[in-house]
Amino acid sequence: MSKYQQIKQTAYEANMQLPKLGLVLFTFGNVSLADHKEQVFAIKPSGVPYELLTPDDMVIVDFDGNTVEGKMRPSSDTKTHAVLYKHWPKIGSVVHTHSTYATAWAQAQRDVPIFGTTHADHLTVDVPCAPPMSDEMIKGNYEYETGFQILNCFKERGLSYEEVEMILVGNHAPFTWGKDAHKAVYNAAVLEEVSRMAYLTETINPQAPRLKDALIRKHFERKHGPDSYYGQ
Amino acid sequence: MSKYQQIKQTAYEANMQLPKLGLVLFTFGNVSLADHKEQVFAIKPSGVPYELLTPDDMVIVDFDGNTVEGKMRPSSDTKTHAVLYKHWPKIGSVVHTHSTYATAWAQAQRDVPIFGTTHADHLTVDVPCAPPMSDEMIKGNYEYETGFQILNCFKERGLSYEEVEMILVGNHAPFTWGKDAHKAVYNAAVLEEVSRMAYLTETINPQAPRLKDALIRKHFERKHGPDSYYGQ
Amino acid sequence: MSKYQQIKQTAYEANMQLPKLGLVLFTFGNVSLADHKEQVFAIKPSGVPYELLTPDDMVIVDFDGNTVEGKMRPSSDTKTHAVLYKHWPKIGSVVHTHSTYATAWAQAQRDVPIFGTTHADHLTVDVPCAPPMSDEMIKGNYEYETGFQILNCFKERGLSYEEVEMILVGNHAPFTWGKDAHKAVYNAAVLEEVSRMAYLTETINPQAPRLKDALIRKHFERKHGPDSYYGQ
Amino acid sequence: MSKYQQIKQTAYEANMQLPKLGLVLFTFGNVSLADHKEQVFAIKPSGVPYELLTPDDMVIVDFDGNTVEGKMRPSSDTKTHAVLYKHWPKIGSVVHTHSTYATAWAQAQRDVPIFGTTHADHLTVDVPCAPPMSDEMIKGNYEYETGFQILNCFKERGLSYEEVEMILVGNHAPFTWGKDAHKAVYNAAVLEEVSRMAYLTETINPQAPRLKDALIRKHFERKHGPDSYYGQ
């Protein structure tokens, strides 16, 4: 039995959540789960339909993107996951989907504005949309550079990856993460719903104002303050 | 066995209706059910996924928001429910969701216009959207003040809570209520559908007129007049 | 056993199709089925949830709207059905829903434009939207007058009820019909889909042209001409 | 047993995928599967509901549109399929649907713009929308001419049918194809999702730019280059 059996099993189960939550069509998504002690992560193999997937199909990859164990090729997005694990040590899991509304905002190259408490219960800034990559990055090691595009966007905006657990990559689609696979998948579903609500909000009122500061602070403290108590 | 077993069981069943009706993602919603004789209500515990919920998990809370019975913390929206029960004695049940279209109208800070008979069969005014709270209310006892924001909106507009069983809280999401849990949950689903229809109506015809007075009166009388007969 | 057992059973089954096709929320719809020899029709009782409905609950009503057999009150829309059966002798079944997109067009008080072959395969004109009724009609025998509003709209526009089997009643919702219950329910689902496609088409291209005459004629002949052959 | 049993069985299974993927209402779609050695294809019979369909109902038709085997009339779109098989020898399967978003773009008479990598993973140009046919073509052998309208559009634009496996026919609906039935059905679902994302993208940002050239080239090479590796 593989010494990575545990993370393969959990990564498998998390991947199977994506179609159940309506976040993927066919194979358009993947979940990975890290073991930071071993400096590896388990990720979905490339192009395998969810209904045929098994825990043993999960591929074990190191934080430089090299396959450590597994018969199949890892997801084509593997290097993006690897870059995030290598540079953000407190991330336990990464999720990539092409969920419909989040992807539409990414294609529109716009941040998702913070319009309400559904959004503020999870993050207290707009969901960042990283600009499309430079031609040099694209021509080079594309998926690897996608990881750096994400890191750079957080650096430039002064965002904390522990505070903001989601991003849109312009022209592409969303990535989310979290301390474990459950949280990362949860964030992917929340991002899709928040994206959908923001879409509808702007149609109903093109001048809809962002959430006021007092509400943003309240929701931040409800979750993170010394007396945090959030949970519906 | 708890002396509140009956309302715990019914509150549990009503909470389980929310995901079935597509009104909640994860734990974004809660139903409570009051026993006005005992001056308490049963409400969903905080942050428990619907698939793990049991009747015994329901928390019993008094009308000031103090827990009377229960091992878990009640929903973080509990104080809002408490304020409504305390001031509106004929309410038997309160429902809070973040259902997609109703929340979008709340985020857009607009009343849902009365455009047709689907709306008029349930209430004969626009669905009110209470403005976002003042900074003082937000910094204070937030969920408690949310209840007062709702009461104040009804007072200022001269609305009857027995006639209009739903409201949007600006930047936040909808609350509905009714004589029993069945009616309060029913109202939550009706509000979502009416919000969706109004969204589509305005897109199809930005100059769509509100329902004419004669139709509003007719629908009001069909439901409430001496010879009421409504039911499809 | 009732002499109307057959139409009660078939009307029951047709009513049960509405929630399966996603055309009704709660009890917002009804199907009736006529027996023209007996000059009666079977219709859903008022306000009974679909999951509790049985064939025996169907109410038998004559073409003037009087109940002939049945323990429950017939649907509040019964008189509208009665008027249509009385004046349009070749209709075998009538369906009323508040399906989301069709109702949005009715609330927007606009005909659904004929934009493509999906529409033309079923009718070769815009789906008519009857204007809201006059205040006199509304104050009078409301549901009965709704039937006349439909008849008048067809008369004024020179439409044939055998050719065009659907209408929107302004501010209200759609009615469809057909030679039998299967066709009337089918038309209700087609109308909802055509309404949704037209909504999307106008958003994608506000100047989208109506279907050209040659295509309209072709589709009319494909279905009705001497060598009709349509069926996908 | 029919010598075409194999393609009848596979064509049947592929047709049954359409309702499962949410791509058809009632009978609004059809899949065919070719046997190029025998110069025939199996296609769904006309007007049969999916729930009643059996493998034996599939009709065998030659590349001129003549029925070779089968008790029922083939789909009314059969001649369009025949033209494509006759002129595009490497196509193994053709799918026609009236899926909602793709049909809305066809009705709007617009190409679906390439806005992101979800699109670019499948084709690196806008999804072409063939103009509505001339009145002469419509009055003549309509379904046969629909095939030529598709061929002409590809010829005029210099597109390769092996590279671009989908088209919208203006005012009508989409056609997709592929080397086998699995790929052709897959393409029909991808087209619907890409159409939906493009719809949302333009609403969020009416000035959303097309995908930049470097990204288009990258995605083309990822799939087709000497070192192709795509698969999520």
Side-chain angles (χ1 to χ4, degrees):
Chain A
M1 209 173 85
S2 163
K3 64 189 278 202
Y4 307 114
Q5 201 59 34
Q6 179 72 54
I7 57 170
K8 285 165 83 169
Q9 178 68 32
T10 307
Y12 162 76
E13 287 165 13
N15 271 290
M16 295 306 286
Q17 286 300 307
L18 298 187
K20 276 187 201 150
L21 287 162
L23 299 174
V24 294
L25 176 69
F26 299 123
T27 63
F28 303 2
N30 40 69
V31 182
S32 69
L33 179 67
D35 178 336
H36 275 282
K37 217 178 60 192
E38 301 284 343
Q39 295 276 300
V40 297
F41 59 96
I43 191 165
K44 192 160 94 48
S46 178
V48 179
Y50 286 98
E51 59 272 27
L52 300 181
L53 210 59
T54 70
D56 279 344
D57 293 338
M58 297 297 117
V59 185
I60 301 296
V61 179
D62 69 24
F63 288 0
D64 293 314
N66 304 306
T67 297
V68 170
E69 180 189 298
K71 291 176 291 275
M72 283 185 258
R73 213 174 46 186
S75 159
S76 57
D77 300 294
T78 295
K79 283 181 185 162
T80 311
H81 292 239
V83 168
L84 298 183
Y85 287 125
K86 186 150 193 176
H87 293 81
W88 289 350
K90 290 185 184 160
I91 289 180
S93 177
V94 173
V95 173
H96 173 51
T97 77
H98 286 228
S99 69
T100 312
Y101 283 85
T103 301
W105 283 93
Q107 293 191 157
Q109 300 184 22
R110 287 189 54 200
D111 296 355
V112 182
I114 180 166
F115 281 134
T117 61
T118 320
H119 187 132
D121 282 337
H122 300 95
L123 71 167
T124 51
V125 294
D126 294 355
V127 179
C129 179
M133 289 183 271
S134 69
D135 287 10
E136 285 63 40
M137 289 174 98
I138 292 167
K139 284 177 195 155
N141 197 338
Y142 178 46
E143 290 81 9
Y144 184 73
E145 297 289 359
T146 300
F148 282 100
Q149 190 73 355
I150 293 171
L151 297 180
N152 291 342
C153 176
F154 266 60
K155 219 174 285 174
E156 277 164 30
R157 298 193 185 203
L159 296 174
S160 152
Y161 74 86
E162 291 181 83
E163 209 44 70
V164 177
E165 298 182 323
M166 52 187 70
I167 194 170
L168 306 174
V169 176
N171 278 146
H172 188 171
F175 285 83
T176 63
W177 50 86
K179 65 174 170 20
D180 56 27
H182 176 79
K183 187 68 192 309
V185 169
Y186 172 91
N187 284 335
V190 165
L191 171 55
E192 177 63 6
E193 181 64 5
V194 162
S195 299
R196 191 174 164 215
M197 285 178 173
Y199 173 89
L200 299 172
T201 301
E202 287 201 344
T203 307
I204 295 170
N205 182 359
Q207 270 75 49
R210 272 185 177 58
L211 205 60
K212 56 197 279 187
D213 280 348
L215 263 174
I216 289 180
R217 266 196 304 277
K218 186 66 180 188
H219 277 266
F220 186 85
E221 284 159 20
R222 220 162 73 140
K223 213 170 114 195
H224 298 292
D227 309 307
S228 73
Y229 60 92
Y230 176 68
Q232 296 213 353
Chain B
M1 207 171 87
S2 163
K3 64 189 278 202
Y4 308 114
Q5 200 59 34
Q6 178 73 52
I7 58 171
K8 285 166 81 170
Q9 178 68 32
T10 307
Y12 162 76
E13 286 165 13
N15 271 290
M16 295 307 287
Q17 285 301 308
L18 298 187
K20 275 186 203 152
L21 287 162
L23 298 173
V24 295
L25 176 69
F26 299 123
T27 63
F28 303 2
N30 41 69
V31 181
S32 69
L33 179 68
D35 178 335
H36 275 282
K37 217 180 59 193
E38 301 283 343
Q39 295 277 299
V40 298
F41 59 97
I43 191 165
K44 191 161 94 49
S46 178
V48 178
Y50 286 98
E51 60 274 26
L52 301 181
L53 210 59
T54 70
D56 279 344
D57 293 338
M58 297 297 118
V59 185
I60 301 296
V61 179
D62 69 22
F63 288 180
D64 293 314
N66 305 306
T67 296
V68 171
E69 179 188 300
K71 290 176 292 273
M72 283 185 258
R73 213 174 46 185
S75 159
S76 56
D77 299 295
T78 295
K79 283 181 184 161
T80 311
H81 293 239
V83 169
L84 298 183
Y85 287 124
K86 187 151 193 175
H87 293 81
W88 289 350
K90 291 186 183 159
I91 289 179
S93 176
V94 173
V95 174
H96 173 51
T97 77
H98 287 228
S99 70
T100 311
Y101 283 85
T103 302
W105 283 92
Q107 294 191 157
Q109 300 185 23
R110 288 189 55 201
D111 296 354
V112 183
I114 181 167
F115 281 134
T117 62
T118 320
H119 186 132
D121 283 338
H122 300 95
L123 71 166
T124 52
V125 293
D126 295 353
V127 179
C129 179
M133 289 183 270
S134 70
D135 287 9
E136 285 63 40
M137 289 173 97
I138 292 167
K139 284 176 195 157
N141 197 338
Y142 178 47
E143 290 81 9
Y144 185 73
E145 297 288 1
T146 300
F148 283 99
Q149 190 73 355
I150 293 171
L151 297 180
N152 291 341
C153 177
F154 266 59
K155 219 173 285 172
E156 279 164 28
R157 298 192 184 204
L159 296 174
S160 152
Y161 73 86
E162 292 181 83
E163 208 44 72
V164 176
E165 299 182 322
M166 52 186 71
I167 194 170
L168 306 175
V169 176
N171 279 147
H172 188 173
F175 285 83
T176 63
W177 50 86
K179 65 173 170 20
D180 56 27
H182 176 78
K183 187 68 192 309
V185 170
Y186 171 90
N187 284 335
V190 165
L191 171 54
E192 178 64 7
E193 181 64 6
V194 162
S195 299
R196 192 175 165 214
M197 284 177 173
Y199 173 90
L200 299 173
T201 301
E202 287 202 342
T203 307
I204 294 170
N205 183 0
Q207 270 75 49
R210 271 184 178 59
L211 205 59
K212 56 196 281 188
D213 280 348
L215 264 173
I216 288 180
R217 266 196 305 278
K218 186 66 179 190
H219 278 265
F220 186 85
E221 284 159 20
R222 220 163 72 140
K223 215 170 112 196
H224 298 291
D227 309 307
S228 74
Y229 60 92
Y230 176 69
Q232 297 215 353
Chain C
M1 207 173 88
S2 163
K3 65 188 278 203
Y4 307 114
Q5 200 59 36
Q6 178 73 54
I7 57 171
K8 285 166 81 170
Q9 178 67 33
T10 306
Y12 163 76
E13 287 165 12
N15 272 291
M16 296 306 287
Q17 286 300 308
L18 298 187
K20 276 188 202 149
L21 287 163
L23 298 174
V24 295
L25 176 69
F26 299 123
T27 62
F28 302 3
N30 41 71
V31 182
S32 68
L33 179 68
D35 178 335
H36 276 281
K37 217 179 58 194
E38 302 283 343
Q39 294 277 299
V40 297
F41 59 96
I43 191 165
K44 192 161 95 45
S46 178
V48 179
Y50 286 99
E51 59 274 23
L52 300 180
L53 209 60
T54 69
D56 279 344
D57 293 338
M58 296 297 118
V59 186
I60 301 295
V61 179
D62 70 22
F63 288 1
D64 293 313
N66 304 306
T67 296
V68 171
E69 179 188 299
K71 292 176 292 273
M72 284 186 258
R73 214 175 45 188
S75 160
S76 57
D77 300 295
T78 295
K79 284 181 184 162
T80 311
H81 293 239
V83 169
L84 298 184
Y85 288 124
K86 187 152 192 174
H87 293 81
W88 289 349
K90 291 187 183 159
I91 289 180
S93 177
V94 173
V95 173
H96 173 50
T97 77
H98 287 227
S99 69
T100 312
Y101 283 84
T103 302
W105 282 92
Q107 293 191 157
Q109 301 184 23
R110 288 189 54 200
D111 296 355
V112 183
I114 180 167
F115 282 135
T117 62
T118 319
H119 187 132
D121 282 338
H122 300 94
L123 71 167
T124 52
V125 294
D126 295 354
V127 179
C129 179
M133 289 183 270
S134 70
D135 287 10
E136 284 63 40
M137 290 174 97
I138 292 167
K139 283 175 195 157
N141 198 337
Y142 179 46
E143 291 80 9
Y144 184 73
E145 297 288 2
T146 300
F148 283 99
Q149 190 73 355
I150 293 171
L151 297 181
N152 291 341
C153 176
F154 266 60
K155 219 173 287 173
E156 278 164 29
R157 299 193 185 203
L159 296 174
S160 152
Y161 73 86
E162 292 181 82
E163 206 46 69
V164 176
E165 300 182 321
M166 52 186 72
I167 194 170
L168 307 175
V169 176
N171 278 146
H172 188 170
F175 286 83
T176 63
W177 50 84
K179 64 174 170 23
D180 57 27
H182 176 78
K183 187 69 193 307
V185 170
Y186 172 90
N187 284 336
V190 165
L191 171 53
E192 177 65 6
E193 180 64 6
V194 162
S195 299
R196 192 175 165 214
M197 284 177 174
Y199 173 89
L200 299 173
T201 301
E202 286 201 344
T203 307
I204 295 170
N205 182 0
Q207 269 76 49
R210 270 185 178 60
L211 205 60
K212 56 197 281 189
D213 281 348
L215 263 173
I216 288 180
R217 267 196 304 277
K218 186 67 180 189
H219 277 265
F220 186 85
E221 284 159 19
R222 225 166 63 141
K223 215 171 112 195
H224 298 291
D227 309 306
S228 74
Y229 59 93
Y230 175 69
Q232 296 215 353
Chain D
M1 207 173 86
S2 162
K3 65 188 278 202
Y4 307 115
Q5 201 58 36
Q6 178 72 53
I7 58 171
K8 285 165 83 169
Q9 178 68 32
T10 306
Y12 163 76
E13 287 165 13
N15 271 290
M16 295 306 286
Q17 285 301 307
L18 298 187
K20 277 188 200 149
L21 287 162
L23 299 174
V24 295
L25 177 69
F26 299 125
T27 62
F28 302 2
N30 41 70
V31 182
S32 68
L33 179 68
D35 178 336
H36 276 281
K37 217 178 60 193
E38 301 284 343
Q39 294 276 299
V40 298
F41 59 97
I43 191 165
K44 191 161 95 47
S46 178
V48 178
Y50 286 99
E51 59 273 26
L52 301 181
L53 210 59
T54 69
D56 279 343
D57 293 338
M58 296 297 118
V59 185
I60 301 295
V61 179
D62 69 24
F63 288 0
D64 292 313
N66 305 306
T67 296
V68 170
E69 180 188 299
K71 291 176 291 276
M72 284 185 259
R73 213 176 46 186
S75 160
S76 57
D77 300 295
T78 295
K79 283 180 186 163
T80 311
H81 292 239
V83 169
L84 298 184
Y85 287 124
K86 186 152 192 174
H87 292 82
W88 289 351
K90 290 186 184 160
I91 288 180
S93 178
V94 173
V95 173
H96 173 51
T97 78
H98 286 228
S99 69
T100 312
Y101 283 85
T103 302
W105 283 92
Q107 293 192 157
Q109 300 184 23
R110 288 188 54 199
D111 297 354
V112 182
I114 180 166
F115 281 135
T117 61
T118 319
H119 187 132
D121 283 338
H122 300 95
L123 70 167
T124 52
V125 293
D126 294 354
V127 179
C129 180
M133 288 183 271
S134 69
D135 287 10
E136 285 63 41
M137 289 173 97
I138 292 167
K139 284 176 194 157
N141 197 338
Y142 178 46
E143 291 80 9
Y144 185 73
E145 296 289 0
T146 300
F148 283 99
Q149 191 74 353
I150 293 172
L151 297 180
N152 291 343
C153 177
F154 266 61
K155 218 174 285 173
E156 277 164 30
R157 298 193 186 202
L159 297 173
S160 152
Y161 73 86
E162 291 181 83
E163 206 47 67
V164 176
E165 299 182 322
M166 52 187 72
I167 194 170
L168 306 175
V169 175
N171 278 146
H172 188 170
F175 285 84
T176 62
W177 50 86
K179 65 175 171 19
D180 56 28
H182 176 79
K183 187 68 193 307
V185 169
Y186 171 91
N187 284 335
V190 165
L191 171 55
E192 178 64 7
E193 181 64 6
V194 162
S195 299
R196 191 175 165 214
M197 284 177 173
Y199 173 89
L200 299 172
T201 301
E202 287 201 344
T203 307
I204 295 170
N205 183 0
Q207 271 75 49
R210 272 186 177 59
L211 205 60
K212 56 196 280 189
D213 281 347
L215 264 174
I216 288 179
R217 267 197 304 277
K218 186 65 179 190
H219 277 265
F220 186 85
E221 283 159 20
R222 225 165 65 139
K223 215 170 112 195
H224 297 291
D227 308 307
S228 74
Y229 59 93
Y230 175 69
Q232 297 212 353

